[in-house]
């Protein structure tokens, strides 16, 4: 407040990062979007019109959004539950449970996706086990469908829900839950009326991050999903690799970026609040 | 709320209640009866078992042994939400995501009270704590004192027979604390409710309580009126914890206390004090530098001044007697404070001396 000089120096500290972002992110993004308007020369909004009118593009966009919603829902429910179990566990168990979240987090996305593919295929460990104990006659169709995509992406994105939820829980004053009990609330209603509302910013932030990340997923839906699960990213890749149609790819990329930005603005408040409120109490 | 209160204050009884955490005994077998409608303070240093005992009454801890009774009802294994006990926590514990009115309404909602009755009760509770205008504010918009009053309103709105307060004024500054003490006492007089009040502040306990229960190391040291625990402490710990005192070490033999040399003082003692090392204790009022003339009960006591401090209306002196014990006494401030190191002859009132055993375990 009374240190305007050091305040201006703080801005200098983020300059290198801003420079890196400008060169490696903003400039390429600009060129991609520019391509959407200038390839072929004088294209203008033509590429956008093509993208929006293309039934395949609509279908793929729907796939992307539907998958993102399903994954966000599954990850939120499972992640919050896991975070709560961790929060209530003994100290030693807590460390173990958090490690279980972080270790896969540090493993390559590609490796984890292939691991799921191996587990889920007809000769995979799940179908083999179920078959050998006589529960099923024919292998269950576990791979190349929405189930596999949801399962794989949920597992991969879970840490993004678990960590903010857990951090929100550790900031809740447990005497509030005790107060609710002393005032006549059963454990269940104390949870739903006091604990859950107080940890909602963490859950919102986690769900939101998951949704944003899920809209950009490419490898997992391609490797685990069926034809009905392919995301827009596949279409963009197609346009570039198969057709050399950089204009259409640019327009599609720009549309996805806008979609994410809109979602970002919608959830901005809950995200920033959960970050900014970390030091505030009651 | 007092006259139409549907629940009447009940006595609380603890029978052989014990709580252990691992090998640590937090509360040794404890027998205690809190009479219906009384104001009882649990007083003791932190870790003395007073809060654990409170939690066993509120239901947040279950005793390892023994029973807790409300009236004739054994509630030892009842969960907190079924005990109908109001609890006020040190950090207020107001729900930050609800308005003040919603906070106060919470226990009524949990009990399925009708909407129109809820609104009336919330209004009455806010009037009770003299904050009728804050209903729509959020807790964080209120001052600490206001938040604590709302917490009290919330704990009383469902007419509990018993109100537990766990260091409720601990987070407030001294002046606010003193005015809140008087307000809580006034509330208790207006309402038909038993209050158990946990504090580590002896002045607070003395000012507010009908009865004080002094806790030390998981045990009850003494139960009595403020006057009794202050004026007639039964142990050295109670004497030390309840305020400044001046003491002399000595030996009790056959009902007579003899001070250690070089102090020449003999006192008759109660039958309760056994033979062995003991201390004679005086509170500030029974130590003076200038005894009233012609009163034979004052005995001279040579001391050395260790430190002195001016405290407005009185002078605080830390004195050491020849046999080694030190004590703090307050005296009238109408004479200049003696410098440290000076010899000072004080007089102690034989009639108001309290002799307690000072054997092993008696030291605070």
């Amino acid at each position: 407040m009374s240190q305007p000089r050091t305040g201006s120096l703080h801005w200098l500290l983020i300059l290198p990062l801003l420079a890196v972002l400008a060169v490696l992110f903003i400039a390429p993004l600009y060129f991609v979007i520019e391509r959407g308007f200038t390839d072929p020369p004088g294209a203008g909004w033509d590429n956008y019109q093509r993208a929006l009118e293309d039934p395949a593009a609509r279908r793929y966009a729907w796939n992307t959004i539907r998958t993102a919603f399903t994954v966000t829902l599954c990850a939120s429910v499972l992640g919050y539950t896991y975070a709560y179990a961790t929060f209530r566990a003994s100290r030693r168990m807590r460390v173990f449970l958090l490690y279980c979240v972080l270790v896969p987090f540090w493993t390559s996305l590609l490796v984890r996706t292939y691991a799921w593919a191996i587990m889920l295929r007809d000769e995979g460990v799940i179908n083999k086990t179920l078959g050998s104990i006589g529960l099923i006659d024919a292998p269950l169709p576990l791979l190349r469908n929405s189930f596999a995509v949801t399962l794989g992406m949920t597992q991969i994105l879970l840490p993004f829900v678990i960590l903010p939820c857990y951090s929100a829980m550790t900031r809740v004053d447990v005497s509030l839950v005790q107060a609710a009990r002393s005032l006549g609330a059963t454990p269940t209603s104390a949870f739903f009326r006091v604990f859950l509302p107080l940890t909602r910013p963490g859950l919102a932030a986690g769900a939101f991050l998951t949704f944003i990340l899920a809209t950009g997923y490419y490898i997992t839906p391609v490797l685990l999903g069926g034809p009905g699960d392919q995301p827009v990213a596949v279409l963009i890749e197609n346009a570039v690799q198969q057709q050399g149609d950089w204009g259409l790819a640019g327009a599609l990329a720009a549309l996805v970026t806008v979609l994410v930005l809109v979602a970002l603005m919608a959830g901005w408040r809950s995200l920033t609040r959960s970050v900014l409120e970390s030091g505030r109490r009651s | 709320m007092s006259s139409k209160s549907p629940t009447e204050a009940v006595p609380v009884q603890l029978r052989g209640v014990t709580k252990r955490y691992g090998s640590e005994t937090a509360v040794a077998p404890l027998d205690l009866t809190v009479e219906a409608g009384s104001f009882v303070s649990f007083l003791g240093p932190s870790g003395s078992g007073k809060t654990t005992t409170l939690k066993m009454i509120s239901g947040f801890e279950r005793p390892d042994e023994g029973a807790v009774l409300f009236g004739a009802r054994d509630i030892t294994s009842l969960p907190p939400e079924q005990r109908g006990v109001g609890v006020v926590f040190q950090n207020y514990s107001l729900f930050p995501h609800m308005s003040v009115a919603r906070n106060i309404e919470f226990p009524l909602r949990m009990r399925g009270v009708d909407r129109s009755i809820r609104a009336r009760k919330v209004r009455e509770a806010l009037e009770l704590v003299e904050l009728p205008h804050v209903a729509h504010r959020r807790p964080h918009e209120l001052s600490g004192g206001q938040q604590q009053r709302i917490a009290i309103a919330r704990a009383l709105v469902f007419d509990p027979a018993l109100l537990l307060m766990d260091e409720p004024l601990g987070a407030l500054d001294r002046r606010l604390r003193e005015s809140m003490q008087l307000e809580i006492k006034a509330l208790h007089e207006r309402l038909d409710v038993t209050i158990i009040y946990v504090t580590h502040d002896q002045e607070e306990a003395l000012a507010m309580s009908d009865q004080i229960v002094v806790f030390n190391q998981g045990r009850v040291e003494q139960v009595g009126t403020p006057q009794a625990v202050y004026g007639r402490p039964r142990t050295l710990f109670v004497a030390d914890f309840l305020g400044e005192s001046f003491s002399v070490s000595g030996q009790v033999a056959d009902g007579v206390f003899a001070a250690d040399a070089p102090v020449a003082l003999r006192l008759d003692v109660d039958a309760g004090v056994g033979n062995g090392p003991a201390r004679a204790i005086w509170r500030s009022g029974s130590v003076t530098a200038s005894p009233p003339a012609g009163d034979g009960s004052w005995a001279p006591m040579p001391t050395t001044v260790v430190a002195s401090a001016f405290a407005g209306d009185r002078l605080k002196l830390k004195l050491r007697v020849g046999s080694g014990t030190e004590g703090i006494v307050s005296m009238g401030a109408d004479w200049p404070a003696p410098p440290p190191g000076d010899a000072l002859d004080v007089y102690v009132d034989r009639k108001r001396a309290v002799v307690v055993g000072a054997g092993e375990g008696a030291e605070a």
Side-chain angles (χ1 to χ4, degrees):
Chain A
M1 284 159 269
S2 56
Q3 310 169 306
R5 276 162 199 278
T6 50
S8 59
L9 281 177
H10 286 163
W11 277 104
L12 285 178
L13 290 175
I14 63 168
L15 269 184
L17 180 64
L18 281 180
V20 168
L21 272 178
V23 172
L24 298 180
F25 178 71
I26 298 173
L29 187 68
Y30 171 76
F31 290 128
V32 166
I33 292 171
E34 194 204 20
R35 271 284 178 84
F37 289 104
T38 60
D39 189 353
W45 289 96
D46 286 356
N47 288 321
Y48 285 84
Q49 205 169 353
R50 272 204 293 150
L52 289 170
E53 282 174 359
D54 180 3
R58 286 190 194 172
R59 215 170 51 238
Y60 279 49
W62 169 240
N63 290 346
T64 305
I65 293 170
R66 193 197 61 219
T67 306
F69 264 114
T70 322
V71 168
T72 304
L73 187 70
C74 294
S76 298
V77 173
L78 290 174
Y80 190 90
T81 315
Y82 189 93
Y84 189 61
T86 308
F87 175 69
R88 296 295 298 264
S90 68
R91 180 180 295 235
R92 199 186 291 177
M93 194 65 190
R94 206 180 280 185
V95 174
F96 172 74
L97 289 172
L98 285 176
Y99 260 103
C100 291
V101 176
L102 290 175
V103 169
F105 200 41
W106 295 324
T107 314
S108 153
L109 174 76
L110 200 60
V111 169
R112 280 191 286 168
T113 303
Y114 270 117
W116 274 117
I118 292 165
M119 297 240 301
L120 295 173
R121 66 202 168 123
D122 287 357
E123 307 80 37
V125 69
I126 298 171
N127 273 321
K128 273 275 172 63
T129 310
L130 290 176
S132 67
I133 59 173
L135 273 175
I136 50 170
D137 299 325
L140 293 172
L142 299 175
L143 193 56
R144 303 243 157 265
N145 54 27
S146 302
F147 167 77
V149 175
T150 309
L151 183 66
M153 283 176 67
T154 301
Q155 190 261 328
I156 290 163
L157 290 170
L158 262 178
F160 293 99
V161 177
I162 293 172
L163 296 175
C165 284
Y166 178 75
S167 135
M169 288 170 188
T170 56
R171 292 201 299 267
V172 171
D173 179 358
V174 287
S175 82
L176 290 172
V177 177
Q178 288 199 340
R181 296 285 306 278
S182 79
L183 295 167
T186 60
T188 315
S189 60
F191 174 82
F192 281 106
R193 284 172 186 271
V194 176
F195 194 80
L196 183 59
L198 290 174
T199 49
R200 200 156 42 202
L203 178 59
F208 189 62
L209 275 174
T210 305
F211 184 79
I212 302 276
L213 290 169
T215 54
Y217 257 52
Y218 171 68
I219 293 171
T220 310
V222 167
L223 289 180
L224 300 180
D229 303 303
Q230 299 308 306
V232 180
V234 169
L235 221 55
I236 298 175
E237 195 235 359
N238 241 1
V240 173
Q241 303 275 16
Q242 319 272 321
Q243 296 148 27
D245 190 348
W246 284 86
L248 182 66
L252 283 168
L255 288 171
V256 173
T257 308
V258 168
L259 173 79
V260 169
L261 281 177
V262 167
L264 208 83
M265 279 187 273
W268 187 249
R269 261 194 52 184
S270 68
L271 191 67
T272 49
R273 198 170 46 184
S274 89
V275 175
L276 294 176
E277 271 193 350
S278 53
R280 239 188 70 193
R281 303 214 107 215
S282 64
Chain B
M1 284 192 284
S2 56
S3 53
K4 42 191 182 289
S5 168
T7 41
E8 279 180 20
V10 291
V12 178
Q13 225 185 99
L14 304 179
R15 284 190 193 154
V17 162
T18 310
K19 183 73 194 176
R20 282 180 290 266
Y21 295 112
S23 58
E24 293 265 315
T25 302
V27 176
L30 174 67
D31 289 290
L32 183 70
T33 301
V34 173
E35 279 174 39
S38 64
F39 192 122
V40 175
S41 288
F42 288 0
L43 176 66
S46 51
S48 60
K50 58 190 194 305
T51 295
T52 306
T53 306
L54 193 79
K55 283 184 172 169
M56 291 190 283
I57 299 172
S58 60
F60 291 118
E61 293 283 1
R62 188 177 289 203
D64 295 320
E65 284 158 37
V68 182
L69 288 88
F70 288 177
R73 206 156 62 101
D74 185 334
I75 51 109
T76 315
S77 53
L78 220 54
E81 66 269 20
Q82 289 173 29
R83 297 196 176 194
V85 172
V87 184
V88 176
F89 298 83
Q90 174 170 11
N91 49 4
Y92 323 132
S93 295
L94 296 175
F95 305 128
H97 58 297
M98 298 182 194
S99 69
V100 165
R102 280 274 182 162
N103 262 282
I104 298 177
E105 201 184 21
F106 188 87
L108 302 175
R109 280 173 166 266
M110 292 298 109
R111 286 166 173 76
V113 174
D114 199 63
R115 179 192 293 265
S116 58
I117 300 175
R118 286 206 306 255
R120 180 174 58 79
K121 287 233 149 205
V122 168
R123 212 166 44 240
E124 284 176 0
L126 280 168
E127 278 161 16
L128 184 75
V129 296
E130 290 163 22
L131 285 172
H133 54 285
V134 302
H136 301 293
R137 299 222 201 128
R138 290 285 173 133
H140 67 85
E141 297 171 317
L142 305 179
S143 70
Q146 287 175 325
Q147 289 189 42
Q148 193 53 286
R149 286 195 216 183
I150 298 303
I152 292 170
R154 186 179 66 175
L156 286 172
V157 72
F158 57 100
D159 300 314
L162 174 63
L163 181 64
L164 307 178
M165 307 182 95
D166 188 3
E167 311 230 4
L169 307 182
L172 303 180
D173 65 57
R174 189 185 173 86
R175 283 177 63 184
L176 193 54
R177 208 160 62 214
E178 283 171 1
S179 79
M180 284 295 290
Q181 287 171 8
L182 296 176
E183 276 183 48
I184 292 173
K185 206 161 156 50
L187 265 181
H188 175 245
E189 271 152 28
R190 281 166 61 192
L191 303 174
D192 187 21
V193 61
T194 311
I195 295 183
I196 297 178
Y197 190 101
V198 166
T199 181
H200 63 262
D201 180 339
Q202 84 282 356
E203 282 180 31
E204 196 163 282
L206 291 170
M208 301 178 78
S209 323
D210 297 323
Q211 292 269 315
I212 296 178
V213 182
V214 185
F215 280 80
N216 182 33
Q217 295 180 338
R219 290 174 194 285
V220 170
E221 293 265 328
Q222 189 169 353
V223 182
T225 62
Q227 290 79 5
V229 290
Y230 182 79
R232 319 258 350 138
R234 219 175 290 145
T235 65
L236 200 55
F237 173 82
V238 175
D240 278 345
F241 198 76
L242 270 114
E244 48 202 36
S245 64
F246 178 73
S247 70
V248 173
S249 62
Q251 298 285 330
V252 169
D254 304 324
V256 176
F257 171 85
D260 290 341
V263 182
L265 180 75
R266 296 173 79 80
L267 298 162
D268 292 335
V269 298
D270 300 339
V273 185
N275 290 351
R279 292 257 199 130
I281 299 163
W282 291 268
R283 292 292 184 197
S284 285
S286 42
V287 181
T288 179
S290 45
D295 188 340
S297 74
W298 293 89
M301 176 87 58
T303 67
T304 312
V305 177
V306 178
S308 63
F310 176 63
D313 54 344
R314 63 220 154 84
L315 209 54
K316 271 194 178 192
L317 296 175
K318 189 172 188 183
L319 302 173
R320 183 190 296 129
V321 289
S323 51
T325 55
E326 289 183 352
I328 297 175
V329 291
S330 292
M331 295 182 188
D334 47 357
W335 53 298
D342 264 24
L344 178 69
D345 277 355
V346 296
Y347 294 82
V348 294
D349 189 348
R350 287 174 207 271
K351 284 183 305 198
R352 287 193 279 171
V354 178
V355 177
V356 298
E360 77 290 353
E363 194 65 46

